[in-house]
């Protein structure tokens, strides 16, 4: 009995510790991935940006480039993700991905089957940003050097996350959202669009100039149906999209209070409710948006009275409603696809009516009647109770 206990203790001691660990110096963390159309006979060109772990150590950093890019061509992203070691020489870790950039040509052809690998695989998370690069190859956004972040992906990732919080110029779409929309009513979805200015190859000049030589700029929305690009919308349409979806966090709205004079309010809270109904073949939606705000600035010669604030609120409501109606018109008349999730609302509220229309929902959406109700409440006017114009 004593011998058996002794053997058990020795076995326990001998097997302690990490048996499957990997040294940090033996791996690369992939933070950005770009997928472009390959050169025939290859289907895809995949580019990864990997950070060099040692460069983020305060004692050893600064000796080499903080990140490394490598590209390969092949027929599946799954295969390419494993073959990258041919040129990089270290094991690639994909669990820290922050960005997936896709070339416009691939999205226009609807060639997004590689989403299956990213969604199915256990090594990648589904909470990274997804962007469509307009007019240029997706790999260009990974080449732009900038003075604020050590690697290109980090700058663009923070830029997108800030855009969500500050103005609403990013729809905050993740891979899981895209996969869900691909199977939803109408199969309409959106991805944030990014444009590249200047020459990324010369972006080293960004470190020496106040004005960027090359930059990645958020330029609106890419509108998809059945995971195929239909076209683009403007940055202002992104905010309207978020208002209709109920996903807007904060934004600033400028409206006119007199001829040649404007004011700006800051939206700090927004709530959207959609009530679905129908009349035979015509779906109807009543959208109510309630917003809390504070006055950021005004050029108008009005005292900060209750009556003046009510006038500001009414003008802001009109401006917001006009923007939203313009975006809604583009979706119904130009693209004829439900990107706002109205079909899901109809399904939840009137399932019996919706089920026979599901396969042709975009046709019914394009002729749906949508009424809009906006309510703005100005809660604060700041420290100054008078306008500088008074």
């Amino acid at each position: 009995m004593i011998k058996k206990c002794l053997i058990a203790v020795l076995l326990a001691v001998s097997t302690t510790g990490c048996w499957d660990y990997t040294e940090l110096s033996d791996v690369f963390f992939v933070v950005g991935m770009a997928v472009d159309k390959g050169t025939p006979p290859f289907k895809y060109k995949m580019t990864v940006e990997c950070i060099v772990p040692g460069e983020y150590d305060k004692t050893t950093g600064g000796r080499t480039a903080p990140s490394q890019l490598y590209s390969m061509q092949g027929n599946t992203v799954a295969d390419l993700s494993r073959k990258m070691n041919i040129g990089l020489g270290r094991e690639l870790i994909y669990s820290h991905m922050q960005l997936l950039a896709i070339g416009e040509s691939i999205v226009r052809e609807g060639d997004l089957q590689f989403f299956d690998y990213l969604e199915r695989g256990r090594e990648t998370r589904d909470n990274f940003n997804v962007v469509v690069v307009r007019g240029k190859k997706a790999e260009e956004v990974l080449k732009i050097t900038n003075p604020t972040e050590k690697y290109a992906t980090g700058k663009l990732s923070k830029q997108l996350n800030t855009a969500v919080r500050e103005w609403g110029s990013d729809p905050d779409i993740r891979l899981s959202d895209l996969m869900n929309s691909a199977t939803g009513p109408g199969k309409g979805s959106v991805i944030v669009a990014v444009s590249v200015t200047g020459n990324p190859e010369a972006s080293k000049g960004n470190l020496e100039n106040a004005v960027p030589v090359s930059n990645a700029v958020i330029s609106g929305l890419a509108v998809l149906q059945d995971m195929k690009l239909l076209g683009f919308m403007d940055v202002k349409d992104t905010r309207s999209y978020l208002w209709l979806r109920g996903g807007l966090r904060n934004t600033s709205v400028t409206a006119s209070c007199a001829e040649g004079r404007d004011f700006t309010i800051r939206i700090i809270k927004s709530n959207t409710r959609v009530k679905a109904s129908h009349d035979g073949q015509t779906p109807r939606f009543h959208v109510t948006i309630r917003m809390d705000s504070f006055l950021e600035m005004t050029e108008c010669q009005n005292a900060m009275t209750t009556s003046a604030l009510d006038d500001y609120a009414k003008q802001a409501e009109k401006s917001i409603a006009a923007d939203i109606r313009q975006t809604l018109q583009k979706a119904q008349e130009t693209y004829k696809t439900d990107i706002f999730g109205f079909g899901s609302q109809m399904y939840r509220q009137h399932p019996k009516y919706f089920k026979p229309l599901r396969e042709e929902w975009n046709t019914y959406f394009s002729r749906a009647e949508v009424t809009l109700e906006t309510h703005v409440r100005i809660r604060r006017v700041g420290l100054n109770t008078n306008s500088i114009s008074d």
Side-chain angles (χ1 to χ4, degrees), residues 167-170 193 218-221 233-240:
W167 201 84
S169 50
D170 176 13
I218 299 172
S219 58
L221 288 177
M233 288 187 174
D234 300 329
V235 171
K236 188 180 289 187
D237 294 313
T238 308
R239 185 172 65 177
S240 298

Side-chain angles (χ1 to χ4, degrees), residues 283-349:
R284 289 195 172 100
F285 299 94
H286 184 81
V287 182
T288 304
I289 305 174
R290 299 184 183 278
M291 293 154 279
D292 286 345
S293 66
F294 63 84
L295 185 66
E296 282 197 308
M297 64 81 63
T298 179
E299 299 174 345
C300 298
Q301 297 177 345
N302 291 331
M304 295 297 101
T305 63
T306 302
S307 176
L309 293 179
D310 288 342
D311 290 338
Y312 286 147
K314 289 178 182 178
Q315 293 301 321
E317 289 168 358
K318 291 179 181 178
S319 177
I320 292 167
D323 288 344
I324 294 175
R325 289 192 182 99
Q326 188 177 37
T327 302
L328 187 61
Q329 185 179 12
K330 290 180 182 179
Q332 287 187 293
E333 298 180 7
T334 304
Y335 299 118
K336 301 183 188 298
T337 185
D338 180 12
I339 60 175
F340 309 111
F342 284 163
S344 297
Q345 293 286 352
M346 183 64 77
Y347 174 69
R348 282 192 288 267
Q349 299 178 37

